[in-house]
Amino acid sequence: QVRLMESGGGFVQAGGSLRLSCAASGSIFSVMGWYRQAPGKQRELVAAIPNGGNTMYADSVKGRFTISRDNVENTVYLQMNSVKPEDTAVYFCNVRVTRGSIYFDYWGQGTQVTVSS
């Protein structure tokens, strides 16, 4: 059974920093990542890191956010620097379990990030 535990959300002033963590258990994850959803908007990919592959970032966060993962602890991190009010959203941890040509996505419960101007 896959379980995800997110932490690190909260309030931060524009220009500040925040670090999100997501501890996963129950499987080996081919991809770990973060999505976000702002009020009235669709959920969007923020960053993802495959197991042994290249990281991916949304254009809006490139150069400001850094994703990393600890495969021993099965934890994925999102370091958010130089945050902007438009980064305000609920951030969701996402992990993928791959079985041959089939994959299963699992989601965390979400953690609120609010950036004040």
Side-chain angles (χ1 to χ4, degrees):
Q1 182 179 0
V2 173
R3 295 186 177 181
L4 304 176
M5 183 175 295
E6 299 164 341
S7 61
F11 291 88
V12 61
Q13 286 192 330
S17 297
L18 209 59
R19 189 192 196 204
L20 306 183
S21 301
C22 175
S25 61
S27 188
I28 296 173
F29 305 105
S30 54
V31 184
M32 304 181 82
W34 291 93
Y35 286 70
R36 67 186 181 187
Q37 187 167 18
K41 294 188 176 181
Q42 288 188 329
R43 190 173 297 189
E44 63 175 0
L45 172 70
V46 176
I49 182 168
N51 197 0
N54 294 324
T55 55
M56 295 170 280
Y57 293 96
D59 288 343
S60 58
V61 306
K62 282 180 181 177
R64 300 189 298 120
F65 293 7
T66 302
I67 190 170
S68 60
R69 63 187 286 175
D70 181 334
N71 285 335
V72 174
E73 298 293 330
N74 253 351
T75 300
V76 61
Y77 304 96
L78 185 69
Q79 178 66 43
M80 305 167 61
N81 296 331
S82 302
V83 296
K84 303 175 181 180
E86 50 263 44
D87 294 322
T88 295
V90 178
Y91 284 70
F92 296 90
C93 176
N94 169 268
V95 297
R96 176 166 291 182
V97 176
T98 300
R99 297 281 186 263
S101 60
I102 300 173
Y103 64 84
F104 305 90
D105 281 339
Y106 298 87
W107 296 90
Q109 79 281 2
T111 184
Q112 177 70 46
V113 172
T114 303
V115 182
S116 62
S117 57

